[in-house]
Amino acid sequence: VQLQASGGGLVQAGGSLRLSCAASGRTFSAYAMGWFRQAPGKERDFVAAITWSGSRVYYRDSVRGRFTISRDNDKNTVYLQMNSLKPEDTAVYYCASGPTFATAPLNYNYWGQGTLVTVSS
């Protein structure tokens, strides 16, 4: 599976962005998908995850209610809708796929290249 993340950019606080992650390969629908982020000088943190069917989702506390993860298995794409963005959301965002619905990066074995989100105050 190869993953290509896109949709990052510069936005003012309170604004919105939608990230997309397009996957190649015929087994996309068999994998759980996750979004992670890494701010400068910090570790890569879990943001959101979704099961292969889309029936379950999970978010880190600081984005719950503002971010929405979804997927379209017909298009081999997972999305992260980000609303009410805050300066502390500034980071490189990565999508990842793996066999289990999890929050730890080690559970994901395929990673996209990352897309930069910058939120100005």
Side-chain angles (χ1 to χ4, degrees), residues 67-106:
F67 291 11
T68 302
I69 187 172
S70 61
R71 67 189 296 162
D72 185 337
N73 287 342
D74 290 335
K75 296 182 178 179
N76 281 9
T77 302
V78 63
Y79 305 97
L80 185 68
Q81 177 66 43
M82 305 186 296
N83 298 329
S84 302
L85 282 160
K86 304 176 181 180
E88 52 263 43
D89 295 318
T90 295
V92 177
Y93 283 70
Y94 298 89
C95 58
S97 67
T100 58
F101 178 61
T103 61
L106 60 85

Side-chain angles (χ1 to χ4, degrees), residues 14-117:
S16 298
L17 282 174
R18 188 176 81 155
L19 305 183
S20 299
C21 176
S24 63
R26 293 175 291 177
T27 58
F28 171 80
S29 61
Y31 286 91
M33 298 294 297
W35 284 98
F36 293 78
R37 67 187 183 188
Q38 188 166 18
K42 295 188 177 181
E43 294 185 349
R44 189 169 298 189
D45 289 332
F46 168 79
V47 176
I50 188 167
T51 55
W52 68 270
S53 66
S55 62
R56 290 181 63 195
V57 297
Y58 188 73
Y59 303 93
R60 69 180 295 113
D61 288 345
S62 62
V63 308
R64 188 174 292 117
R66 300 188 296 122
F67 291 11
T68 302
I69 187 172
S70 61
R71 67 189 296 162
D72 185 337
N73 287 342
D74 290 335
K75 296 182 178 179
N76 281 9
T77 302
V78 63
Y79 305 97
L80 185 68
Q81 177 66 43
M82 305 186 296
N83 298 329
S84 302
L85 282 160
K86 304 176 181 180
E88 52 263 43
D89 295 318
T90 295
V92 177
Y93 283 70
Y94 298 89
C95 58
S97 67
T100 58
F101 178 61
T103 61
L106 60 85
N107 289 290
Y108 293 83
N109 41 22
Y110 298 100
W111 291 82
Q113 86 289 359
T115 185
L116 177 63
V117 172

